Amino acid sequence: LLLKKKDYAAARPLFEKAGEISKKISGGHNTDYAGSLNNLGLLYSGMGLYEESIPYYLQALDILDVLHAWSNPDYLFCLNNLAKSYVYTGRYDKAEPLIISATRQSVLNLRNVFPILSEKEKNNYLENVNWLEQMNNSFLYTHKKEAKDLALNNFNFQLFAKSLALTDTRFMLEQAGISTDSVLSRLFTEWKSSRTFLAKQYALPPAGRDAGLSTVEAHTEALEKELTRKSASFRGQQEALLISMKELQQTLRSDEAAVSFVRFSLYNKDWTDSVLYAAYLLRKQDTLPQFVPLCEEKQLGKYFSFGAGEPTIRAIYRSDPVDESDKPSISGDSLFSLVWKPLMPLLKGIHTVNYAPAGLFYKIAFHALPAGDSLLLMDRFELNQFTSLRQLALNRGQSGSNPAIAIFGDCVYAADLDSVKNGRKQAVVSGKEDNTGGWKRLEATAKEISSIQSLFREKQFNSILYSQLNSTEEQFKAMSGHAPLILHLATHGFFLPDPQKRQEEGLAQDLRNAFTQAKDPLLRSGIVLTGANRAWNGQAPITGREDGIVTAYEIAQLDLRQTDLVVLSACQTALGDIIGSEGVFGLQRAFKLAGVDKMILSLWKVPDAETAELMNLFYTHYLKGNNARKSFMYAQQEMRRKYPPFYWAAFVLVE
């Protein structure tokens, strides 16, 4: 505590006394004594006496090496602390090998600990070790000229760690789902049952939930950890995540580049208040990845503030070039200058750019940014977005065994589906269908889904249409385990802001329903189907029926491994809470956990008619034999010739 308060004079005797006690007990051969030495080194480092700190770090590392305590967190801290002291005493040649060693040990620790953790614990663990990644990026940012192998080290760590908990948990669920082991199957069934119960409880107002909910939550997490441990081929799957730069490079063509964006807090002798964005760029011919600093997060605030709405989006994604002499505060040109222009000199001769976003970059429709000479970025490059670049090397070319499309749309949100009699649903339309009483009916989706079904029928492609009273949550969940190749959802999507952040920003609490008050971002995002308005307006669901609101939490529990593509023809379905290197916690994470390969999602509220037109064009190209990426690109190119980007550029394809 005294060290944190920078009261070095008071802290020093306490560290020394603790060291004396540890040495007396163990003779100086235990991790406690090494920790005391490390603390004394930190004290001198904090005082700016880096040279004096070095002997303490060296002694601590010697003890930990003798004890083979390399997985001890103190070992990582000590390596990093010694590296810092070498950096700030001008001995970068000694610092870099230590930084690389700490990174390798961190990867080993992650690989050792993940097989015994639940997904929640994995995310917590990654958050706790995030300091090392930020420190490594900071070292490269502040000492780029001296660095030799740090760019390669950091890039390889990005390949391993980006979306690691997501990929790890997905592998576990796949293995548990296909296992023939009776014990594992029983655990998996029990876990899914518990998660279903929790989902229904979370949809209720807090006061109406089961009194023993915390016990069920703890039991469900324990089941998940046991599933992780018992998944027979889990470790084998985990080995597949160790993709290196060389392996990724082998997948690239000579006119292709891979870009991994990073967001990090800047460390420069101490943590600063600067949050920076940079890119690691790799081409076929590169011996090392290129590290390119981009901008500070505070420069992006005006583009993505809580209050930024349609006028801001229209200002960014516009067709007409901006007069530079006017210098508007918000424009696509200025955003392009911050997030992409520094990369352009390295992209000469490049046709295709595969990229993985970070932080606020997840909210950018890169393809629609103005890129000079009245061109958009999509005119200069073919852009492919991935959750992690390792997917380029791991691409399994998944194809479902059910070559069909399931289409949901034209939902009746205000319907109360209270019973099913004689095989027919009985419905009462309750409440006015407007924004005050719930979700408004999307009139254009009736034409959209009918047109899509006609396209597929012309090509003798199996199609199943769920519309109006049949477009229910029950029908949607019934696809689990035998899902179609393509799933098209033409309905409302939602992502609700963190209630705590709303409170911190002085905004009134949103108490409409349980979803607006949820802490878990997977409960604050989802899609709405027929009958959703009842629960959305805070009423209790009808006994024995689903509530029509399918949260990302629920979607993550489904088995959609046979689905190659999900098209979310809805508003803001690409959004969610952005957490560390794990990316967006929302619908895209949920569908990935469910086993889906590719998704088309939206970044802002989309206009109905133009969305329907875009979707029709996409499927027309798809049914001509083009893959999803090419079809999507062709459709957007056609829309570009008719409309400003605001009307079509919200949609992104994420793999």
Side-chain angles (χ1 to χ4, degrees), residues 160-220:
F160 175 73
K162 208 159 200 173
S163 300
L164 178 62
L166 166 65
T167 309
D168 222 42
T169 301
R170 174 168 165 165
F171 278 155
M172 181 275 285
L173 293 174
E174 285 180 356
Q175 293 306 308
I178 63 175
S179 175
T180 56
D181 182 278
S182 59
V183 175
L184 190 58
S185 296
R186 179 186 57 77
L187 281 171
F188 191 49
T189 301
E190 187 179 352
W191 174 79
K192 287 198 294 183
S193 176
S194 293
R195 292 269 294 193
T196 300
F197 172 79
L198 288 175
K200 291 186 182 300
Q201 289 293 306
Y202 294 147
L204 300 173
R209 293 175 186 171
D210 193 286
L213 193 62
S214 59
T215 303
V216 179
E217 288 173 329
H219 177 63
T220 306

Side-chain angles (χ1 to χ4, degrees), residues 224-236:
E224 187 179 326
K225 291 165 73 171
E226 190 66 16
L227 277 172
T228 304
R229 281 193 287 268
K230 288 188 178 296
S231 295
S233 58
F234 184 79
R235 284 188 176 273

Side-chain angles (χ1 to χ4, degrees), residues 576-597:
D577 284 3
I578 300 164
I579 302 176
S581 61
E582 281 299 296
V584 180
F585 277 66
L587 283 169
Q588 60 179 283
R589 186 179 187 86
F591 278 110
K592 277 285 183 184
L593 285 171
V596 172
D597 195 27

Side-chain angles (χ1 to χ4, degrees), residues 204-273:
L204 300 173
R209 293 175 186 171
D210 193 286
L213 193 62
S214 59
T215 303
V216 179
E217 288 173 329
H219 177 63
T220 306
E221 188 165 0
L223 286 170
E224 187 179 326
K225 291 165 73 171
E226 190 66 16
L227 277 172
T228 304
R229 281 193 287 268
K230 288 188 178 296
S231 295
S233 58
F234 184 79
R235 284 188 176 273
Q237 289 280 17
Q238 199 188 53
E239 292 295 324
L241 299 181
L242 295 174
I243 302 299
S244 68
M245 182 201 88
K246 294 269 186 203
E247 290 168 298
L248 176 62
Q249 213 165 23
Q250 288 171 6
T251 70
L252 298 177
R253 301 186 308 269
S254 59
D255 65 346
E256 194 173 12
V259 177
S260 183
F261 292 107
V262 291
R263 173 191 182 271
F264 60 97
S265 296
L266 179 63
Y267 185 94
N268 191 6
K269 295 193 175 179
D270 203 348
W271 292 108
T272 69
D273 61 358

Side-chain angles (χ1 to χ4, degrees), residues 240 243-244 247-249 251 388-396:
I243 302 299
S244 68
E247 290 168 298
L248 176 62
Q249 213 165 23
T251 70
S388 169
L389 289 180
R390 68 171 168 270
Q391 290 169 270
L392 284 167
L394 289 175
N395 202 320
R396 293 174 289 178

Side-chain angles (χ1 to χ4, degrees), residues 337-574:
S337 294
L338 288 174
V339 305
W340 195 275
K341 192 174 181 179
L343 301 175
M344 291 298 283
L346 297 169
L347 294 174
K348 290 176 181 176
I350 296 298
H351 173 265
T352 302
V353 180
N354 307 292
Y355 68 97
L360 292 175
F361 282 23
Y362 281 103
K363 297 184 176 183
I364 299 174
F366 281 99
H367 57 287
L369 288 178
D373 300 325
S374 298
L375 298 175
L376 300 183
L377 203 54
M378 64 184 283
D379 301 324
R380 293 186 178 273
F381 307 103
E382 182 180 322
L383 299 165
N384 300 323
Q385 182 176 332
F386 293 86
T387 51
S388 169
L389 289 180
R390 68 171 168 270
Q391 290 169 270
L392 284 167
L394 289 175
N395 202 320
R396 293 174 289 178
Q398 173 181 333
S399 61
S401 58
N402 182 6
I405 181 171
I407 308 165
F408 284 76
D410 192 22
C411 304
V412 187
Y413 305 110
D416 276 355
L417 300 176
D418 54 3
S419 64
V420 177
K421 295 179 182 177
N422 301 320
R424 298 184 66 184
K425 291 184 177 66
Q426 306 298 305
V428 178
V429 177
S430 62
K432 189 179 178 182
E433 289 196 307
D434 58 20
N435 291 330
T436 57
W439 295 99
K440 183 180 178 181
R441 191 168 184 178
L442 296 169
E443 302 292 344
T445 61
K447 184 178 177 182
E448 176 184 337
I449 61 177
S450 175
S451 177
I452 290 169
Q453 187 178 42
S454 295
L455 283 172
F456 279 88
R457 279 182 171 171
E458 284 174 18
K459 296 291 183 180
Q460 281 82 50
F461 198 102
N462 250 354
S463 63
I464 311 161
L465 185 64
Y466 300 97
S467 67
Q468 297 194 3
L469 298 183
N470 286 317
S471 189
T472 63
E473 183 173 353
E474 284 88 348
Q475 295 282 22
F476 177 77
K477 289 181 175 177
M479 293 187 299
S480 182
H482 49 272
L485 185 69
I486 304 169
L487 174 58
H488 185 94
L489 301 165
T491 183
H492 286 293
F494 66 90
F495 165 64
L496 301 166
D498 186 334
Q500 186 174 338
K501 287 186 178 178
R502 280 184 65 95
Q503 194 171 2
E504 289 170 359
E505 293 182 18
L507 298 170
Q509 281 188 294
D510 187 345
L511 303 176
R512 280 176 295 170
N513 51 55
F515 311 106
T516 60
Q517 303 168 58
K519 292 180 181 179
D520 187 338
L522 295 189
L523 293 168
R524 286 186 277 109
S525 57
I527 56 171
V528 289
L529 297 173
T530 287
N533 279 356
R534 181 185 179 94
W536 195 258
N537 292 329
Q539 295 174 264
I542 295 169
T543 303
R545 292 207 61 86
E546 299 281 5
D547 60 18
I549 299 168
V550 192
T551 63
Y553 182 93
E554 293 173 288
I555 291 167
Q557 299 166 46
L558 303 178
D559 177 6
L560 303 178
R561 282 174 290 140
Q562 295 180 57
T563 299
D564 181 64
L565 173 68
V566 167
V567 179
L568 290 161
S569 181
C571 296
Q572 299 177 305
T573 50

